[in-house]
Amino acid sequence: MGILAHVDAGKTSLTERLLHNAGVIDELGSVDDGSTRTDTMALERQRGITIRSAVVSFVVDGVTVNLIDTPGHPDFIAEVERVLGVLDGAVLVVSAVEGVQAQTRVLMRTLHRLRIPTLLFVNKVDRAGADPERVLRQLAEKLTPAVIATGRVDAPGTRAARCVPFGPDDAGYTDRLVDLLATHDDGLLAGYVEDESAVTWGRLRSVLTAQTGRARVHPVFAGSAITGAGVDALITGIANLLPAAEGDEDGPLSGTVFKVERGPAGEKIAYARIFTGMVRVRDRVRYRRHEAAKVTAISVFEAGDAVPRPAAGAGRIAKLWGLDDIRIGDPLGTPPDRPAGRHHFSPPTLETVVVPCRAADRAALHTALTQLAEQDPLINLRQDDIRQEISVSLYGEVQKEVIQATLADEHGVAVTFRETTTVCVERPVGVGAAVEWIGKEPNPFLGTVGLRIEPAPIDSGVEFRLGIELGSMPLAFLKAIEETIRETLRQGLHGWQVTDCRITLTHGAYWARQSHSHGVFDKSMSSTAGDFRNLTPLVLMDALARAGTRVYEPMHRFRLDVPADLFGAVLPVLARLDAVPRTSTARGTSYLVEGEVPAVRVHALEQRLPSLTRGEGVLESEFAHYRLVGGPAPSRPRWDHNPLNRKDYLLAVARRVTARPEQR
């Protein structure tokens, strides 16, 4: 089960309260004091926010609940993304004071799209300004109409606030429940119309459980993580309404790795959800196609802690040691039906260069960032060998602080950052083709590769096709060509990743394994996969140059709620930030402005908003699409902005490497 929320809605405090009420911990930790069970990073304790997902466990009525506390800040949405693929259910926390916020909407849309059963918890009912009824209306208006309160809150906004569950004698609640459930159950509707008394409380509860489990309706609980009000009712709802995992421990192993961390000795530790089967210490586990490794140790989560165990079965979250090459998103054994590697949120659209404060730390910085990329693959490391610089992708500015603090605290490397820039993409303009023939100058490699590149539909990614007979070349050579194509397209003519294109292998040839008369293998006479890995980028960039590319910048869709009397002052600021308002709607004392803004301008808009709107403005934004850049295309540092120069350079290197010793 995942706990999700907008930042500061009280997620981690609720996790602490659930552990306390379930009897796992004797004393409540505090986010403000940095003493919670799930916030273990020094920076998490200092800032009072969750940065990395954390796992705890407790038992309710014989049901083991593996709970994953996730970050609420949008800069760390990648942590949430990796968790979604392993959830049976979720609790979405909303503040009774602030109500539905930007990240709340993003999370609920994603949970709804993935059909993850979700309970809603309106937290902080004891805080001044709490208005549970207003928030309930917001949930129905801004998230989904398929919500229903399971109780009422007495004395909201005071420390005496308490939550009273509705029961079978509450006619108003029963009627609302029938109205909601009958939308998806014709039998219930017919029975209620024929004889209201025939629809018993037990039947309503049974239908509510079934429809919640299918993510059709979302019961709403209310309470306070600090005082504990309403939390016992939520725990009961978790046990009764969210579906338990149905995994066969006797079946084949199937699991997904959703988190990777390093232990005290630098060893990799993989967090895996086991869907079916069993994994045991000393088992050789297959992952990432045909690779396999021996599991050297296992821990499972029990009573709030990870405890060593000889095995972990279906339904468990296990910490696994020994899988040194494991990566986030890797399936264990048989790939599950819901892989964690899928993207549920938009990719990072910002980038910055990480600069070591001491030149001597360059090698250490590269090693440290590589380890961070294992824990967060979406930071997308990119190294510029010419300028000796490393770039990382970002969701926002707060990520810089986290990366900087982590490098200093855990790796002893002090860094600064260059100015944040936008991550663009390139798309081919036309069709381009190129070929290099084996044994013909200037091709120094023992292989023939011909490629054609052409545009493909928007958001289709990169498609590789064979234009030659499948058996005309060894499968290892074809695999080397395809993998190299995808790697090469990370930097196009202007240095940006090339996407939405179709690559066809039009020509392919090789020299079979040969040896001298005395039987000794001579690699200078025989093609290897390395020949195709070296030759493919040259042909591909040649074809891409002939096709041409255009650069596209990321655009965000925004919703801006501002006071009506400041609407006129906000519009010129939006114009200066290149934002394009599409609609503006009067809503009582405020205006809702919707439109698009370049991703690079979102942070500036967020900074200007409080002073511009007396702190009353509310901004929501999310990636919408890529827009063609007008004017000169922005270039990203790379080998060389001219791919033909790059080709000449690589050919020169190739000739030097492959030349016989007497020719060097």
Side-chain angles (χ1 to χ4, degrees), residues 40-362:
T40 56
M41 290 178 61
L43 195 61
E44 289 179 316
R45 297 180 182 275
Q46 293 167 12
R47 293 184 63 101
I49 61 172
T50 301
I51 295 171
R52 293 178 182 167
S53 58
V55 182
V56 290
S57 179
F58 57 91
V59 177
V60 181
D61 297 336
V63 177
T64 299
V65 178
N66 291 302
L67 186 151
I68 307 177
D69 184 16
T70 64
H73 198 288
D75 280 14
F76 310 111
I77 195 69
E79 284 285 320
V80 181
E81 175 171 86
R82 291 187 280 276
V83 167
L84 290 174
V86 303
L87 297 183
D88 299 308
V91 173
L92 181 61
V93 184
V94 184
S95 168
V97 180
E98 288 82 10
V100 173
Q101 297 170 277
Q103 190 75 345
T104 317
R105 294 167 63 99
V106 172
L107 292 169
M108 189 63 192
R109 280 198 298 268
T110 306
L111 291 167
H112 181 73
R113 185 171 68 250
L114 298 177
R115 310 300 297 171
I116 295 177
T118 303
L119 307 181
L120 298 168
F121 184 73
V122 180
N123 192 26
K124 302 184 179 182
V125 298
D126 59 318
R127 293 273 300 276
D131 190 344
E133 291 299 320
R134 171 180 58 83
V135 174
L136 186 62
R137 291 193 298 271
Q138 286 185 352
L139 297 177
E141 294 170 1
K142 297 184 176 183
L143 299 186
T144 171
V147 296
I148 185 164
T150 59
R152 71 173 191 273
V153 180
D154 292 341
T158 70
R159 294 288 289 182
R162 67 189 190 97
C163 305
V164 182
F166 294 134
D169 298 330
D170 192 307
Y173 172 61
T174 304
D175 290 343
R176 292 192 298 274
L177 195 55
V178 170
D179 288 343
L180 178 61
L181 299 178
T183 304
H184 305 288
D185 191 326
D186 293 339
L188 178 65
L189 177 60
Y192 185 76
V193 171
E194 183 178 336
D195 181 6
E196 293 184 16
S197 62
V199 180
T200 64
W201 174 252
R203 182 179 179 185
L204 285 178
R205 292 292 299 178
S206 176
V207 175
L208 176 63
T209 300
Q211 293 195 13
T212 302
R214 291 195 290 269
R216 289 181 173 173
V217 301
H218 306 283
V220 181
F221 297 83
S224 168
I226 298 301
T227 67
V231 175
D232 284 336
L234 174 63
I235 292 176
T236 301
I238 290 171
N240 295 337
L241 297 174
L242 293 181
E246 297 178 358
D248 180 11
E249 289 193 347
D250 296 325
L253 174 65
S254 178
T256 295
V257 174
F258 65 92
K259 177 178 177 178
V260 172
E261 65 181 18
R262 292 273 179 174
E267 73 279 15
K268 269 191 183 179
I269 305 171
Y271 286 66
R273 161 71 195 271
I274 309 300
F275 293 105
T276 62
M278 181 85 68
V279 57
R280 300 173 178 83
V281 176
R282 291 187 294 278
D283 277 356
R284 291 192 63 83
V285 175
R286 180 171 57 86
Y287 60 93
R288 201 157 61 250
R289 296 182 183 175
H290 304 296
E291 296 183 32
K294 183 185 292 186
V295 177
T296 57
I298 297 174
S299 288
V300 298
F301 290 88
E302 296 178 3
D305 289 317
V307 294
R309 288 288 182 266
R316 289 287 187 180
I317 290 179
K319 294 174 68 174
L320 306 176
W321 282 259
L323 310 181
D324 294 335
D325 196 33
I326 200 77
R327 297 187 303 221
I328 289 174
D330 281 347
L332 301 180
T334 304
D337 295 332
R338 42 177 180 175
R342 270 190 358 220
H343 288 321
H344 308 302
F345 301 104
S346 59
T349 55
L350 303 175
E351 184 179 66
T352 186
V353 174
V354 188
V355 182
C357 294
R358 299 182 299 272
D361 285 341
R362 289 189 185 278

Side-chain angles (χ1 to χ4, degrees), residues 190-511:
Y192 185 76
V193 171
E194 183 178 336
D195 181 6
E196 293 184 16
S197 62
V199 180
T200 64
W201 174 252
R203 182 179 179 185
L204 285 178
R205 292 292 299 178
S206 176
V207 175
L208 176 63
T209 300
Q211 293 195 13
T212 302
R214 291 195 290 269
R216 289 181 173 173
V217 301
H218 306 283
V220 181
F221 297 83
S224 168
I226 298 301
T227 67
V231 175
D232 284 336
L234 174 63
I235 292 176
T236 301
I238 290 171
N240 295 337
L241 297 174
L242 293 181
E246 297 178 358
D248 180 11
E249 289 193 347
D250 296 325
L253 174 65
S254 178
T256 295
V257 174
F258 65 92
K259 177 178 177 178
V260 172
E261 65 181 18
R262 292 273 179 174
E267 73 279 15
K268 269 191 183 179
I269 305 171
Y271 286 66
R273 161 71 195 271
I274 309 300
F275 293 105
T276 62
M278 181 85 68
V279 57
R280 300 173 178 83
V281 176
R282 291 187 294 278
D283 277 356
R284 291 192 63 83
V285 175
R286 180 171 57 86
Y287 60 93
R288 201 157 61 250
R289 296 182 183 175
H290 304 296
E291 296 183 32
K294 183 185 292 186
V295 177
T296 57
I298 297 174
S299 288
V300 298
F301 290 88
E302 296 178 3
D305 289 317
V307 294
R309 288 288 182 266
R316 289 287 187 180
I317 290 179
K319 294 174 68 174
L320 306 176
W321 282 259
L323 310 181
D324 294 335
D325 196 33
I326 200 77
R327 297 187 303 221
I328 289 174
D330 281 347
L332 301 180
T334 304
D337 295 332
R338 42 177 180 175
R342 270 190 358 220
H343 288 321
H344 308 302
F345 301 104
S346 59
T349 55
L350 303 175
E351 184 179 66
T352 186
V353 174
V354 188
V355 182
C357 294
R358 299 182 299 272
D361 285 341
R362 289 189 185 278
L365 173 61
H366 183 272
T367 301
L369 285 174
T370 300
Q371 292 188 9
L372 288 185
E374 294 171 353
Q375 301 169 18
D376 185 358
L378 288 183
I379 69 173
N380 292 335
L381 287 188
R382 187 179 67 87
Q383 183 161 352
D384 182 344
D385 294 326
I386 301 297
R387 294 169 178 79
Q388 293 294 302
E389 294 176 346
I390 302 178
S391 299
V392 296
S393 300
L394 301 170
Y395 276 102
E397 295 296 313
V398 176
Q399 264 187 292
K400 282 185 178 180
E401 298 179 39
V402 174
I403 293 173
Q404 187 177 45
T406 303
L407 290 173
D409 297 343
E410 299 183 9
H411 301 276
V413 179
V415 300
T416 58
F417 298 93
R418 299 265 176 82
E419 181 181 0
T420 301
T421 57
T422 309
V423 177
C424 299
V425 298
E426 294 181 47
R427 292 179 175 134
V429 177
V431 178
V435 62
E436 291 284 348
W437 301 96
I438 191 170
K440 291 186 178 181
E441 288 290 341
N443 179 11
F445 302 108
L446 303 186
T448 293
V449 173
L451 297 171
R452 183 177 66 249
I453 185 168
E454 55 193 317
I458 300 299
D459 296 330
S460 62
V462 176
E463 179 186 358
F464 176 69
R465 290 182 174 181
L466 287 180
I468 62 174
E469 291 186 10
L470 182 60
S472 62
M473 290 181 65
L475 189 60
F477 294 173
L478 296 176
K479 181 180 178 182
I481 292 172
E482 181 179 1
E483 290 178 347
T484 306
I485 284 172
R486 298 186 184 280
E487 177 65 25
T488 303
L489 290 180
R490 292 179 63 184
Q491 294 192 74
L493 307 187
H494 300 278
W496 307 105
Q497 181 168 346
V498 181
T499 186
D500 301 336
C501 59
R502 185 179 298 116
I503 317 309
T504 303
L505 180 64
T506 58
H507 300 79
Y510 69 101
W511 283 349

Side-chain angles (χ1 to χ4, degrees), residues 608-631:
R608 295 289 303 276
L609 196 60
S611 60
L612 194 63
T613 63
R614 300 189 298 262
E616 299 176 35
V618 178
L619 174 68
E620 300 176 23
S621 75
E622 61 179 338
F623 173 79
H625 60 89
Y626 285 97
R627 178 185 70 176
L628 179 64
V629 174

Side-chain angles (χ1 to χ4, degrees), residues 555-558 571 573-583 593-598 605 627:
M555 297 292 292
H556 277 219
R557 184 184 303 109
F558 74 85
L571 290 180
V573 176
L574 292 177
R576 287 195 292 273
L577 293 174
D578 299 328
V580 181
R582 302 294 186 190
T583 62
V593 185
E594 297 182 276
E596 293 182 348
V597 60
L605 181 56
R627 178 185 70 176

